């Protein structure tokens, strides 16, 4: 019931936002005439791949001189969002001298076609929109950028791999690896996939391929696992990394620590492999919440960075962004920014604590430790600094393994990706475990620092095997006098679990291969 309620509320929030914006888009629509509805703003139809009509809006600089050319920025909409999503930012960009074209991704709202999920037709659409802008606006063909939130971010990165005209990208709350985003640890991210699927059906027309993939994914059809991975890989910018690097676009990546749809780890890994101009920014929040206020025209650090990025790499402005530390992290605990020369430097200082002894956990029961609710929990942490909490001493040891570090005399500033290594023996060939790292205070109350799931199949019952698991990256300060605790159980509403009835997991620490948690700490 909790999972169903969570998904219903989340879908309602997304749908409500989208439907609330839709009437404004329809009221301003001018069909195919392209007549102005406000100063510098036109609503137009653009022929995408195969002639599919894409509903779009164009914002041009006020008082543009005839014959003058302006840098172009193309904005594909987010999943399930209408074409007016970016109007506030488009107006600001136009006021600073850009031509901005935002379009509704195919298959959503009034655009034609079916939802392709960043497939080849979506990539071709981006190039068609650029072609249209160059033919119908004062856009400069030598200075073209793309940006977007979520779905728009993924399409922008993929387009940069296939269209060398794109010189700069700002990809916000997007994905680089679709498999590592919603199938990390070989575990289906249930709430994320169900939310995306539900919002797609509410606001668009999923194509037969997407319907099949979504059905196989949510039903745990392992016979189709290879096909699902191949489908996701084709839609992952990391698969096209060589082409992105060869084209050389300046890439800015922004995401939230608690993004429950596209977790930060996969963005950080992708960032390290980029060879052109690049920037990585992580802030507190959940999916798209770090950019949300900017979509309403309010001050927003992420969009400010995106504007500066385009000013530098499309206008050539000497604004200093290329001389700053390229990795910018905002702590969940202090709200302050920290700069690093690269992602590796974030992990430079490691501290371990042992997962000693042997602990046995009965599967299929939620111990009370969990990662929260998609979109809601980490947004509350962003604005109120209230992560999920549990009483660690009261966690039922029959259903949760618990290990604790010593009490720390000084603050422990966790930065980056916590790694867990352990040995597992299962009574069944398949199973799922979820690991949680908690900041535990003197009264035993644990605040969630990070988590991640892990699923195994085809294991020999009764035979031990090693598990290496990366928790989702974060920036969190553990106060002096507190300790860290690792909790492992087998059920979490965020994920689909694969534990047969009556299964039992045993966690051990062989002398030849000790179990541990490795915690990355900021260098002081």
């Amino acid at each position: 019931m909790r999972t169903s309620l969570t998904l219903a509320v989340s879908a309602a929030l997304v749908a409500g936002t989208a439907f609330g914006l839709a009437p404004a888009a329809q009221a301003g629509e001018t069909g195919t005439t392209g007549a102005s509805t406000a100063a510098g703003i036109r609503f137009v139809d653009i022929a995408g791949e195969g002639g599919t009509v894409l509903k779009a809006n164009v914002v041009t600089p006020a008082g543009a001189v005839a014959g003058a050319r302006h840098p172009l920025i193309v904005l594909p909409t987010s999943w399930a969002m209408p074409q007016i999503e970016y109007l506030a930012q488009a107006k600001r960009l136009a006021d600073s001298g850009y031509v901005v074209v935002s379009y509704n991704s195919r298959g959503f709202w009034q655009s034609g076609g079916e939802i392709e999920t960043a497939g080849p037709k979506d990539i071709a659409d981006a190039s068609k929109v650029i072609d249209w802008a160059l033919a119908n606006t004062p856009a400069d063909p030598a200075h073209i950028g793309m940006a977007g939130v979520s779905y728009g971010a993924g399409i922008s990165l993929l387009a940069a791999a296939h269209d060398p005209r794109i010189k700069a990208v700002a990809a916000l709350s997007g994905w680089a690896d679709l498999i590592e985003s919603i199938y990390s640890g070989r575990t289906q991210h249930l709430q994320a996939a169900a939310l995306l699927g539900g919002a797609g059906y509410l606001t668009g027309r999923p194509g037969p391929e997407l319907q099949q993939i979504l059905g196989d994914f949510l039903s745990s059809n392992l016979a189709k696992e290879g096909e699902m991975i191949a489908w996701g890989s084709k839609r992952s910018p990391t698969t096209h990394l060589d082409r992105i690097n060869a084209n050389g676009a300046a890439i800015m990546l922004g995401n939230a620590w608690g993004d429950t749809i596209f977790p930060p780890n996969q963005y950080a890994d992708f960032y390290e492999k980029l060879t052109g101009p690049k920037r990585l920014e992580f802030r507190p929040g959940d999916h798209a919440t770090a950019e949300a206020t900017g979509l309403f025209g309010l001050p927003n650090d992420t969009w400010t960075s995106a504007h500066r990025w385009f000013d530098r790499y499309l206008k050539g402005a000497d604004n200093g962004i290329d001389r700053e530390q390229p990795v910018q992290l905002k702590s969940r605990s202090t709200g302050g920014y920290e700069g690093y020369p690269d992602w590796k430097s974030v992990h430079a200082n490691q501290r371990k604590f042992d997962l000693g002894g042997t602990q046995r956990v009965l599967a299929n029961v939620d111990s009370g430790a969990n990662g929260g609710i998609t979109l809601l929990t980490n947004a509350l942490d962003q604005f109120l600094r209230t992560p999920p909490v549990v009483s660690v001493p009261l966690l039922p040891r029959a259903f949760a393994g618990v290990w604790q570090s010593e009490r720390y005399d000084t603050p422990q500033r966790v930065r980056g990706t916590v790694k867990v290594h352990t040995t597992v023996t299962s009574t069944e060939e398949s199973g799922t475990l979820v690991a949680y790292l908690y900041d535990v205070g003197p009264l035993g109350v644990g605040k969630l620092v990070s988590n991640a799931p892990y699923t195994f199949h085809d294991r020999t019952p009764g035979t031990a095997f090693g598990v290496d698991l990366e928790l989702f990256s974060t920036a969190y300060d553990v106060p002096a006098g507190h300790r860290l605790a690792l909790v492992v159980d087998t059920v979490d509403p965020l994920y689909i679990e694969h534990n047969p009835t009556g299964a039992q997991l045993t966690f051990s620490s062989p002398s030849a291969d000790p179990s541990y948690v490795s915690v990355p700490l900021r260098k002081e």
Side-chain angles (χ1 to χ4, degrees), residues 10-285:
S10 298
L13 287 172
V14 171
T17 301
F19 280 113
L21 290 171
Q26 294 166 357
E29 191 92 27
T30 60
T32 58
T33 65
S36 295
T37 59
I41 301 175
R42 291 186 295 150
F43 289 88
V44 300
D45 291 348
I46 297 176
E49 177 68 9
T52 297
V53 173
L54 305 175
K55 294 295 182 177
N57 55 71
V58 183
V59 188
T60 54
V65 178
R69 292 288 176 176
H70 302 269
L72 168 68
I73 295 178
V74 174
L75 302 168
T77 54
S78 303
W79 187 271
M81 294 300 289
Q83 60 157 305
I84 62 168
E85 175 185 10
Y86 300 114
L87 274 184
Q89 288 301 318
K91 183 65 167 60
R92 289 191 173 189
L93 286 164
D95 287 345
S96 62
Y98 292 94
V99 172
V100 185
V101 180
S102 175
Y103 69 95
N104 227 141
S105 303
R106 71 166 52 223
F108 286 105
W109 293 99
Q110 295 164 310
S111 283
E114 297 174 325
I115 301 172
E116 300 282 337
T117 321
K121 291 181 181 178
D122 290 301
I123 299 168
D125 284 344
S127 292
K128 292 288 188 181
V129 171
I130 292 173
D131 294 340
W132 183 92
L134 294 178
N136 294 278
T137 74
D140 184 346
H143 299 92
I144 298 172
M146 284 192 70
V149 175
S150 186
Y151 194 45
I155 290 175
S156 295
L157 287 172
L158 289 164
H162 292 83
D163 194 329
R165 295 176 297 180
I166 299 169
K167 304 302 181 186
V169 171
L172 313 177
S173 288
W175 76 91
D177 190 326
L178 197 55
I179 304 303
E180 283 300 308
S181 294
I182 61 173
Y183 195 51
S184 68
R186 208 180 176 187
T187 307
Q188 296 98 324
H189 292 212
L190 172 62
Q191 291 185 19
L195 176 61
L196 291 173
Y201 276 100
L202 280 170
T203 63
R205 298 166 299 283
E209 187 178 30
L210 173 58
Q211 293 181 45
Q212 183 66 51
I213 289 290
L214 192 62
D216 289 337
F217 185 83
L218 291 175
S219 65
S220 304
N221 187 352
L222 288 176
K224 296 295 185 70
E225 184 182 40
E227 294 178 26
M228 288 187 283
I229 289 175
W231 180 87
S233 295
K234 184 168 65 174
R235 290 160 168 79
S236 296
T238 190
T239 301
H240 308 276
L241 179 68
D242 289 346
R243 296 184 67 167
I244 292 174
N245 284 335
N247 289 341
I251 306 290
M252 173 188 155
L253 306 172
N255 205 357
W257 293 120
D259 194 322
T260 47
I261 296 180
F262 302 131
N265 304 43
Q266 45 94 30
Y267 243 21
D269 292 342
F270 178 69
Y271 170 83
E272 284 291 88
K273 298 171 185 174
L274 291 170
T275 58
K278 58 185 180 178
R279 184 177 177 91
L280 177 67
E281 299 185 353
F282 285 142
R283 296 178 174 85

Side-chain angles (χ1 to χ4, degrees), residues 2-18:
R2 178 170 59 180
T3 300
S4 299
L5 179 61
T6 292
L7 296 177
V9 171
S10 298
L13 287 172
V14 171
T17 301

Side-chain angles (χ1 to χ4, degrees), residues 286-496:
D286 206 311
H287 184 64
T289 64
E291 302 86 24
T293 56
L295 295 177
F296 295 99
L298 300 174
N300 181 276
D301 289 355
T302 306
W303 282 105
T304 296
S305 290
H307 286 232
R308 295 179 64 218
W309 191 252
F310 287 130
D311 287 349
R312 174 64 186 89
Y313 290 103
L314 296 183
K315 287 183 177 180
D318 185 13
N319 58 15
I321 194 168
D322 54 327
R323 296 188 295 274
E324 297 171 359
Q325 296 276 40
V327 176
Q328 293 287 320
L329 312 181
K330 188 175 185 181
S331 168
R332 291 168 52 198
S333 302
T334 67
Y337 283 94
E338 302 165 4
Y340 298 84
D342 50 38
W343 182 247
K344 295 190 300 292
S345 299
V346 178
H347 297 78
N349 186 24
Q350 299 280 331
R351 183 169 185 171
K352 294 182 178 181
F353 68 89
D354 294 333
L355 304 179
T358 298
Q359 298 197 34
R360 293 177 177 84
V361 174
L362 297 175
N364 308 116
V365 177
D366 189 343
S367 70
N370 67 71
I373 300 173
T374 290
L375 295 185
L376 177 61
T377 298
N378 292 314
L380 291 175
D381 186 40
Q382 173 186 355
F383 295 109
L384 303 176
R385 296 183 189 168
T386 55
V389 298
V390 296
S391 174
V392 174
L394 296 181
L395 285 171
R397 296 310 197 260
F399 309 118
V402 180
W403 298 262
Q404 297 192 72
S405 72
E406 76 275 19
R407 187 171 283 109
Y408 299 115
D409 295 330
T410 59
Q412 304 294 293
R413 294 181 172 86
V414 181
R415 298 292 184 271
T417 309
V418 175
K419 297 180 180 180
V420 176
H421 174 75
T422 190
T423 295
V424 177
T425 306
S426 175
T427 58
E428 304 289 343
E429 65 176 16
S430 295
T432 297
L433 60 93
V434 185
Y436 310 88
L437 188 71
Y438 285 100
D439 158 26
V440 184
L443 298 179
V445 175
K447 296 181 179 180
L448 186 64
V449 177
S450 186
N451 78 98
Y454 181 91
T455 294
F456 58 88
H457 297 288
D458 303 321
R459 292 289 180 177
T460 302
T463 300
F465 58 94
V467 170
D468 288 289
L469 176 61
E470 291 189 350
L471 306 191
F472 301 132
S473 303
T474 193
Y476 181 96
D477 293 355
V478 179
H482 287 211
R483 65 180 73 205
L484 288 169
L486 184 78
V487 175
V488 179
D489 70 4
T490 61
V491 177
D492 190 306
L494 286 172
Y495 312 113
I496 292 178

